[in-house]
Amino acid sequence: MGNRPTIQSTLPTGKQATSVSPLAGRCTAVVGLQWGDEGKGKVVDLLAPAFEAVVRYNGGANAGHSVVVKGERYALHLIPSGILYPGKLAVIGNGVVVDPEVLLKEADGLRSRGVDVSGLVISDRAHVVMPYHKAEDEVRERLISESGGVGAREGDGKGGIGTTKRGIGPCYADKAQRATAVRVGDLANVEALRTKLRRICAFKNATLGAVGCRAFDPEELTIWAAQMGERLRTSIRDTTMLLHDLLETGKPVLFEGANAALLDVDHGTYPFVTSSSTTVLGIPAGTGVPGSRIDRVYGVVKAYSTRVGNGPLPTEQINPIGNRIRERGREFGTTTGRPRRVGWLDLVAVRYSAMLNGVTDLAVMLLDVLAGFDELHVCTAYRHKGVLIERFVPDSEFLYEAQPVYTTMPGFSQEITAATSRADLPAAARAYLDLIEKVVGVPISIVSVGPDRAQTILA
Ligand code: IMP
């Protein structure tokens, strides 16, 4: 098992967290169990001190992890949240699609705020999001939308998938297509890159040009990409070997999932998903570290549901309840600023995601947002065509037709943002957490009652 590091609470109150040992395993993962934006950044930030490296394995700049440290908010899209701890390696694994402009801007922004970014390492095998990928994302969404939408039903996803337009899907598609792909390692070899981009631009201009995209000039792109490569050069490594070297010497590694289980390209609410493997199942392919190395998985759950973009959200509240949660929870996208769709907690979905990820610990986030409701509703089953269903069905058509069956819980009126232990919480909030543990069948180790690092109950 190697060393099992113990997480020390970072609560500035001087209080030591109780019964948190051992929080970390040799390899630990933090993954979202809903549709993203659960608060994974905060959990990673909390756990990071015990690890040598924090590693992203999927997605790209579509993710938005916000972390609040000493009242300062950091919004990270590509760089692992662990960067906020000096001395840690922040690794972008081969499974990530890297927009070099976003990456460099993010690194510059952190530097200008005094954050040491020297621990940033990028896999030479990660794929590069090129300008034509973003153009393609945009044009696909528009054309699909104009042609009637995504789903099988009329009007279903008529706005397209509702992507972040960060070029994620087109970049992963090129990775699978191979001949038109650019990897981070390619950025260092300008002559080879020039040849490759000539070929790629001929293809892209023919295909994207036919649907109204601007033409891309291979020489311009070569100069742009070479500049990016030059600035990133010292950070580019074979991260698979780096991670295995760390593990061989007993160093613990933390994996930071981006997006979330229900957006997984295989196991999510397809086709309204992102283009990568967002669960722990994506870690082996996205980093080169086998799944057998992972012995602790934190599943991060928001105390209610949110979703950005199109697709089913069975417990959605398009009413004053949803508006109140959106305002209190500041539910506007970190990446796109879009207002998030809001609904009651869906434990049928969360239980499924916990199963997929082999979750060992739950982290329940934003519990404070629910203060002030007389009653809280939690979906514990669906009714579909008159039949009671207790198992999640990752099928958009099914979910559009499924009616949530709610368990109604008493609400809590008092604010809970100062609570430092589960015992400090009002009885109704404790009962809400008990219900989550019972239905999901996994213990809660972390409860977040506010955005700051300090506003955390380690249970
Ligand atoms: P894409 O990843 O930009 O292709 O977008 C596909 C779908 O996933 C859209 O509905 C996005 O809103 C959603 N999505 C992608 N990443 C995130 C995330 O980090 N949080 C929430 N939703 C996301």
Side-chain angles (χ1 to χ4, degrees), residues 144-169:
I144 287 164
S145 177
E146 284 169 10
S147 69
V150 181
R153 300 182 323 166
E154 193 60 37
D156 180 9
K158 61 178 181 290
I161 287 174
T163 74
T164 59
K165 303 205 176 108
R166 298 295 190 264
I168 306 298

Side-chain angles (χ1 to χ4, degrees), residues 7-305:
I7 298 286
Q8 294 297 320
S9 163
T10 52
L11 306 184
T13 53
K15 272 192 177 198
Q16 274 307 305
T18 51
S19 65
V20 294
S21 176
L23 254 183
R26 196 173 31 154
C27 275
T28 291
V30 175
V31 289
L33 300 187
Q34 292 153 309
W35 286 275
D37 312 306
E38 294 90 351
K40 296 179 290 288
K42 176 170 172 175
V43 176
V44 170
D45 176 69
L46 215 61
L47 299 179
F51 295 87
E52 188 74 12
V54 182
V55 186
R56 279 271 309 261
Y57 59 90
N58 76 298
N62 52 353
H65 294 172
S66 42
V67 182
V68 178
V69 185
K70 294 190 184 129
E72 281 214 48
R73 181 177 288 271
Y74 296 86
L76 301 167
H77 299 287
L78 263 169
I79 300 183
S81 312
I83 197 77
L84 298 174
Y85 279 99
K88 303 288 167 201
L89 288 174
V91 180
I92 295 182
N94 60 278
V96 175
V97 289
V98 178
D99 182 332
E101 245 166 19
V102 173
L103 182 63
L104 286 165
K105 202 166 151 214
E106 200 161 294
D108 289 344
L110 288 170
R111 246 185 242 113
S112 71
R113 293 171 75 180
V115 178
D116 173 15
V117 293
S118 59
L120 178 65
V121 185
I122 309 153
S123 166
D124 56 353
R125 297 202 283 277
H127 281 246
V128 180
V129 177
M130 299 292 288
Y132 45 75
H133 289 135
K134 286 184 268 190
E136 184 177 345
D137 205 350
E138 186 95 36
V139 82
R140 283 183 72 89
E141 282 286 273
R142 181 169 55 76
L143 291 178
I144 287 164
S145 177
E146 284 169 10
S147 69
V150 181
R153 300 182 323 166
E154 193 60 37
D156 180 9
K158 61 178 181 290
I161 287 174
T163 74
T164 59
K165 303 205 176 108
R166 298 295 190 264
I168 306 298
C171 185
Y172 277 116
D174 272 341
K175 174 177 178 174
Q177 295 283 13
R178 295 147 294 161
T180 44
V182 176
R183 303 206 291 186
V184 168
D186 296 333
L187 301 180
N189 186 344
V190 182
E191 275 325 303
L193 191 61
R194 180 171 280 119
T195 309
K196 198 171 205 177
L197 282 169
R198 269 194 206 122
R199 191 180 65 225
I200 293 174
C201 282
F203 182 80
K204 294 289 176 190
N205 289 341
T207 51
L208 296 179
V211 289
C213 267
R214 72 175 175 91
F216 292 91
D217 175 37
E219 192 51 33
E220 241 175 60
L221 283 185
T222 305
I223 293 167
W224 172 83
Q227 276 169 355
M228 298 289 133
E230 184 49 34
R231 288 200 58 199
L232 294 173
R233 194 171 44 83
T234 52
S235 304
I236 301 172
R237 300 265 292 274
D238 178 341
T239 53
T240 300
M241 288 303 178
L242 170 75
L243 293 175
H244 278 275
D245 286 347
L246 289 178
L247 292 168
E248 285 315 309
T249 50
K251 303 280 180 6
V253 170
L254 182 64
F255 293 107
E256 174 176 356
N259 327 124
L262 301 173
L263 293 172
D264 185 275
V265 68
D266 288 291
H267 303 287
T269 53
Y270 197 88
F272 300 100
V273 293
T274 189
S275 307
S276 67
S277 293
T278 57
T279 69
V280 294
L281 305 169
I283 293 174
T287 66
V289 174
S292 56
R293 289 273 193 178
I294 305 162
D295 53 18
R296 194 136 197 181
V297 180
Y298 284 82
V300 187
V301 185
K302 205 178 263 194
Y304 45 91
S305 304

